[in-house]
Amino acid sequence: MGFLIAGVVGIATVALAWLQAQRERRIDLEDLDRRMHLVTHQIKDSVHDALRRPESGTAKLLADQLEGHRRLLGFAVFGPDGRRIASGKAVAEFTEEMKPALLQALAGKSEAIATIRAQDTNLQVLATRLTNEDGALQGVLVAVHEMSHLDERAAMRMVHFAYWILLITFLLIILVVGVTWAAYERPLKNLAEWMRRLRTDNAPEAPPTGLPVALLASETERLAASFRAARLQVSTDSRSITRDHKLWTRERLRAQAVDCLQGGQLVVVSNREPYMHQLRDGKPRLIVPAGGLVTALDPILQACGGLWVAHGAGDADRQTADAGGRLTVPPDDGRYTLRRVWLSREEEQGYYYGLSNEGLWPLCHLAHERPTFRASDWDHYVEANRRFTAAILEEIGSSEATVLVQDFHLALVPHLLKLARPDIRVGVFWHIPWPNPEAFRICPWRAEILKGILGADLVGFHLQQYCNNFLDTVDRMVEARLDWDHFAVELGGRRSLVRPFPISIESWAERGVPLGDALTRQTAQLQERYKLDYGPIIVGVDRVDYTKGLPERLRAVGRFFEKYPQHRRKLTFVQLAAPSRTHLRRYRELIVELESLADEINWKFQAEDWKPIHFLVDHHDAATVHAFLRMASVCLVSSLHDGMNLVAKEFVAAKPEEDGVLVLSEFAGAARELSDALIINPYDTEQFADTIHAAVEMDVPERRARMQRMRQVVEEHNVYWWAATFLTELSATRTSDLRNSGQFELPKGLKTAGVHV
Ligand code: ADQ
């Protein structure tokens, strides 16, 4: 770079100096012309007179007058026929050089001037035509001037100018560097020093002022706030877990919950119910719906007791609940109450399939699926949120309660609850990512949704990054006061804290799946049923959803068998795929696409009765999911975008023998915690296939070391830890009266009167 700048400055300097020298040479030439004209004019009359005499007398008569002085070499006089009549001594030898100008004058030009190269020098020749009164040609007077001094002077000037330009450039550079140093270097040094002190915990609250770039100043403030929040979080975590070295269990959570609830009731509200009844052969059959939310929250209510309010979506749900829609669950071991909310087909279509799954789901997941927003869906969404709120209020009556609102289906519930009961504590947990403000702003009801969520005292996301995105979104779309230092929002006199709570799972033993001999028997049955007798298996377990990267996964598995043929007939990939949201065309099409992709790959590589891919579309029970995870030597999680992804943690939890390799998408929240997984970009088929190969080939000590570290993370940060930290943080928030603030409006189309208090 330095050479380039020096080169450019050098070329520019030479060019400028040359131009300036040429300009001055032109001026010198004009000056020389003027002088030659003058001296020519002075002797012109004498030459006229002399030419009037006989030719032999002319030279004599002019004699010394034709001699030059210094650089004027002298004159020559020619007759009308071009013959030289007389000349000074010094010009006699330049007759040839005078010819071009002389011929022009003889041809009729009153004055002809020419610059001629002669021997070692340049000559300027001026030929003046002399005529008598009748205009008849008498002769030509030629003046010759030596001009080498002009060239010398031009060269000297060029060097001179070059020096000047270099000097000025040098001074300018010093000036620019000086000014830049004053404007940037010092403030940036202050910033670096402040950052160093921030890291070592001694920094003053505010970052240094006077930063040269405004954007840098505001980003610095946010960075400092995130840093402080993260440190606060780490210190809270280390206080709660490492100090007493005790793992979080159901019992410990129960004790913590009693403390936090202070006699109040614990209420969970979500769209999905933890226990659903479906008609099978005319009889109600119990189903635990597949999904991360149920996996995480059911153990908590089982531990603490309380109430779960959810949509009764099963076709046998009404006949298995009482008149109020209530039943105790789990059905064989009643630990808490499930209150089912009834929605009509039309409401379910608009609120659940429409706004929630075709609008908010793609809006929050950056998986290249365009969200669809319909005004009628929004109306149903508002109405359904009102219904859920009414059910909660009816259940809690006038008692104290802590309500945990779950997920994007119920964004308005926190606000509606606080309108009716400002005294209850409300926390909301958003199970999916929160996108950046640019992505979120396309939602037509963005302000209503944000205000709805901000009814909660505590807003939880899986990752700090989602918290940052949420606060940025609030900052740009709602008239609220942001407290970046404490990660809080103040709106209409209320305060909501925004915090990361990475969700997790309970152990498989606590989920009551078969272990020991029962598991061995179950594994043998599955192997026989699916003909899995060709060595180890690789597994995937997912709801069929376009965010989970399933086509990308199948393509990578196909490429793996193509690129590494040595693994054919020695490994089998099993995908457990739970149909999900099949009412929506996009989801139905995805199942068809996946089945045909699996068929294509199987057709290409299958040999004898070995099939590379087993694509098992079903909602499998927890025992089956566990058995497959336990059997597998490798688990593939390839989400294109995922809030957390519990399957990754379930696989780790299913490996007490500490063997097995997790291949995990960098776009799943779980990748932040499980850094010992092999991290992939699911869009990069080649890298994905190579990583499967690396996972299969990994040596035992490395597999164990990685798995050990991941198991420690999952054991320590289990779902009880998640619930305990959420409840503890929520119980520490102050509730305030929202109704009195007067600034908090109802979402469009909603009347408080509709909420039964
Ligand atoms: P989901 O997208 O539903 O949840 P995920 O975290 O992948 O997310 O959990 C799926 C659950 O369903 C797991 O417990 C898994 O075992 C189970 N499951 C999957 N396929 C199954 C099958 N075929 N049969 C039976 N069970 C199956 C949302 C967010 C996630 C977030 C969770 C929890 O999208 O990012 O991790 O909530 O917050």
Side-chain angles (χ1 to χ4, degrees):
M1 190 65 182
F3 285 118
L4 187 71
I5 293 173
V8 171
V9 170
I11 292 171
T13 305
V14 170
L16 281 172
W18 184 83
L19 283 173
Q20 183 63 16
Q22 290 304 310
R23 208 174 76 86
E24 303 232 345
R25 189 174 188 278
R26 262 199 314 278
I27 294 170
D28 284 351
L29 267 177
E30 280 166 20
D31 192 39
L32 179 64
D33 284 355
R34 218 174 323 109
R35 272 190 282 128
M36 285 176 78
H37 273 98
L38 197 67
V39 290
T40 303
H41 190 72
Q42 279 169 359
I43 68 160
K44 206 168 150 190
D45 290 342
S46 321
V47 176
H48 257 298
D49 290 347
L51 284 175
R52 276 197 200 103
R53 314 217 168 181
E55 200 177 292
S56 56
T58 308
K60 222 160 126 209
L61 196 68
L62 290 172
D64 293 351
Q65 289 190 60
L66 298 183
E67 293 303 332
H69 176 65
R70 298 185 63 189
R71 297 186 192 281
L72 175 66
L73 297 182
F75 298 89
V77 179
F78 293 85
D81 54 358
R83 253 182 329 103
R84 191 174 65 179
I85 298 171
S87 72
K89 279 192 215 86
V91 298
E93 58 180 302
F94 296 120
T95 311
E96 272 308 301
E97 283 77 5
M98 287 186 257
K99 251 188 191 160
L102 172 65
L103 291 175
Q104 285 183 46
L106 290 174
K109 208 168 174 190
S110 62
E111 275 179 2
I113 196 153
T115 304
I116 307 289
R117 180 87 200 144
Q119 293 159 19
D120 297 336
T121 182
N122 282 334
L123 299 176
Q124 184 84 336
V125 178
L126 174 66
T128 309
R129 192 180 158 87
L130 304 172
T131 51
N132 61 18
E133 293 77 23
D134 311 332
L137 179 65
Q138 265 190 306
V140 175
L141 174 63
V142 178
V144 180
H145 203 292
E146 196 260 340
M147 54 185 291
S148 63
H149 67 293
L150 294 188
D151 295 329
E152 280 161 21
R153 206 185 303 163
M156 251 177 55
R157 278 186 184 140
M158 197 165 135
V159 173
H160 196 72
F161 282 130
Y163 280 138
W164 268 110
I165 291 168
L166 282 178
L167 182 71
I168 290 169
T169 311
F170 180 67
L171 290 176
L172 269 178
I173 288 173
I174 290 184
L175 191 74
V176 169
V177 170
V179 169
T180 312
W181 186 85
Y184 283 82
E185 171 100 7
R186 231 143 53 96
L188 290 182
K189 264 196 179 152
N190 290 345
L191 180 66
E193 171 58 17
W194 170 82
M195 278 177 168
R196 192 189 61 72
R197 283 186 291 143
L198 181 72
R199 195 160 36 84
T200 52
D201 214 355
N202 298 322
E205 284 285 295
T209 51
L211 284 175
V213 186
L215 192 62
L216 184 63
S218 77
E219 281 307 317
T220 307
E221 242 171 273
R222 287 178 187 191
L223 177 78
S226 310
F227 191 81
R228 276 195 282 271
R231 192 160 46 210
L232 194 76
Q233 183 75 23
V234 169
S235 68
T236 314
D237 291 355
S238 54
R239 269 203 308 279
S240 57
I241 288 172
T242 50
R243 194 194 279 167
D244 49 15
H245 299 287
K246 254 180 28 201
L247 290 183
W248 282 91
T249 59
R250 270 182 199 208
E251 287 63 42
R252 192 170 168 205
L253 171 63
R254 193 179 294 128
Q256 181 78 5
V258 168
D259 251 17
C260 295
L261 298 172
Q262 292 168 350
Q265 195 178 357
L266 177 63
V267 181
V268 168
V269 54
S270 71
N271 170 71
R272 177 164 300 166
E273 51 184 341
Y275 298 93
M276 175 195 268
H277 287 94
Q278 288 283 19
L279 279 181
R280 179 82 51 105
D281 303 326
K283 287 200 193 118
R285 180 186 164 225
L286 180 73
I287 290 179
V288 178
L293 188 147
V294 171
T295 310
L297 285 153
D298 179 57
I300 290 155
L301 274 191
Q302 288 211 31
C304 306
L307 173 77
W308 188 321
V309 178
H311 172 211
D315 52 12
D317 272 354
R318 278 185 197 263
Q319 71 185 78
T320 47
D322 68 14
R326 297 183 196 89
L327 67 160
T328 50
V329 288
D332 52 354
D333 179 23
R335 289 181 177 247
Y336 64 92
T337 305
L338 170 61
R339 160 75 195 268
R340 286 171 172 158
V341 173
W342 311 120
L343 298 174
S344 69
R345 270 283 150 86
E346 208 191 356
E347 281 166 348
E348 187 181 0
Q349 171 61 42
Y351 139 80
Y352 177 70
Y353 289 106
L355 195 93
S356 298
N357 288 324
E358 288 188 297
L360 296 178
W361 178 265
L363 179 72
C364 292
H365 288 92
L366 306 177
H368 314 290
E369 187 68 24
R370 190 180 284 186
T372 305
F373 295 110
R374 301 177 198 93
S376 56
D377 289 349
W378 171 249
D379 292 341
H380 286 304
Y381 185 85
V382 172
E383 175 57 21
N385 273 248
R386 191 192 66 75
R387 293 271 207 93
F388 278 94
T389 309
I392 299 166
L393 293 171
E394 190 180 306
E395 293 297 326
I396 60 176
S398 58
S399 63
E400 281 181 26
T402 293
V403 183
L404 307 183
V405 182
Q406 303 302 313
D407 231 354
F408 60 101
H409 314 89
L410 303 173
L412 308 179
V413 170
H415 170 60
L416 294 173
L417 278 173
K418 285 283 186 166
L419 276 175
R421 286 285 306 273
D423 58 308
I424 56 176
R425 279 182 213 284
V426 179
V428 63
F429 190 79
W430 200 261
H431 289 257
I432 61 177
W434 190 277
N436 58 45
E438 287 71 33
F440 192 76
R441 67 181 304 180
I442 64 170
C443 176
W445 304 286
R446 57 202 182 197
E448 286 82 353
I449 288 173
L450 288 170
K451 287 177 184 174
I453 295 172
L454 290 171
D457 302 296
L458 178 62
V459 182
F461 294 95
H462 292 299
L463 307 181
Q464 181 67 48
Q465 184 200 335
Y466 305 153
C467 296
N468 296 354
N469 285 350
F470 178 75
L471 285 184
D472 266 341
T473 311
V474 171
D475 197 13
R476 299 209 200 158
M477 285 162 210
V478 184
E479 287 288 315
R481 205 181 81 76
L482 265 84
D483 176 354
W484 282 97
D485 269 358
H486 299 97
F487 266 67
V489 182
E490 278 172 28
L491 180 68
R494 289 207 60 263
R495 187 175 165 85
S496 307
L497 294 182
V498 180
R499 294 276 185 279
F501 300 94
I503 206 164
S504 196
I505 53 166
E506 62 177 341
S507 72
W508 283 105
E510 280 166 309
R511 281 173 82 171
V513 298
L515 295 169
D517 290 345
L519 174 64
T520 314
R521 277 196 301 280
Q522 189 191 13
T523 308
Q525 279 166 10
L526 290 171
Q527 280 171 332
E528 195 186 325
R529 182 167 162 206
Y530 296 110
K531 299 195 177 57
L532 299 174
D533 37 14
Y534 280 92
I537 64 163
I538 300 175
V539 79
V541 181
D542 303 78
R543 278 188 309 103
V544 179
D545 193 297
Y546 53 81
T547 60
K548 302 291 179 186
L550 295 172
E552 287 75 6
R553 189 182 307 173
L554 293 187
R555 274 195 282 275
V557 168
R559 179 73 183 123
F560 163 73
F561 282 118
E562 183 177 52
K563 196 168 175 183
Y564 303 101
Q566 67 271 30
H567 294 299
R568 293 185 201 164
R569 302 182 68 226
K570 293 202 180 110
L571 272 173
T572 308
F573 173 59
V574 180
Q575 175 66 52
L576 307 191
S580 170
R581 305 170 192 172
T582 45
H583 192 59
L584 297 177
R585 201 176 64 197
R586 176 72 178 89
Y587 284 75
R588 285 197 303 276
E589 285 173 354
L590 181 60
I591 295 193
V592 175
E593 180 193 345
L594 291 169
E595 279 176 333
S596 80
L597 203 54
D599 275 354
E600 222 173 88
I601 296 166
N602 281 340
W603 183 82
K604 204 165 163 190
F605 300 112
Q606 68 193 10
E608 295 167 28
D609 60 347
W610 174 78
K611 271 200 318 184
I613 296 179
H614 288 253
F615 191 65
L616 311 180
V617 181
D618 201 355
H619 178 272
H620 304 272
D621 58 23
T624 309
V625 172
H626 171 247
F628 272 111
L629 291 174
R630 184 75 180 259
M631 250 189 276
S633 57
V634 176
C635 175
L636 306 183
V637 175
S638 54
S639 314
L640 305 183
H641 201 189
D642 212 336
M644 174 55 69
N645 193 290
L646 293 181
V647 177
K649 294 187 173 181
E650 287 171 345
F651 175 67
V652 171
K655 294 290 171 192
E657 70 286 5
E658 295 173 341
D659 199 3
V661 184
L662 174 64
V663 174
L664 178 58
S665 163
E666 60 181 294
F667 307 120
R672 308 286 170 111
E673 289 175 273
L674 303 178
S675 50
D676 276 295
L678 298 187
I679 304 295
I680 48 133
N681 170 0
Y683 293 97
D684 185 344
T685 310
E686 210 59 29
Q687 180 224 30
F688 195 168
D690 290 343
T691 309
I692 298 175
H693 181 243
V696 170
E697 298 277 302
M698 190 182 283
D699 59 31
V700 178
E702 184 176 354
R703 284 203 310 251
R704 280 197 197 292
R706 284 173 181 266
M707 186 52 86
Q708 263 168 10
R709 289 193 291 265
M710 289 195 287
R711 281 180 64 81
Q712 193 178 353
V713 171
V714 174
E715 269 170 24
E716 284 182 356
H717 293 171
N718 60 21
V719 76
Y720 303 118
W721 166 84
W722 173 78
T725 47
F726 193 92
L727 278 175
T728 309
E729 188 92 49
L730 179 58
S731 68
T733 58
R734 285 161 296 153
T735 55
S736 51
D737 192 339
L738 184 84
R739 279 182 300 196
N740 297 337
S741 73
Q743 291 184 34
F744 215 67
E745 294 148 24
L746 282 171
K748 278 178 203 159
L750 195 72
K751 295 187 177 62
T752 1
V755 180
H756 309 295
V757 186

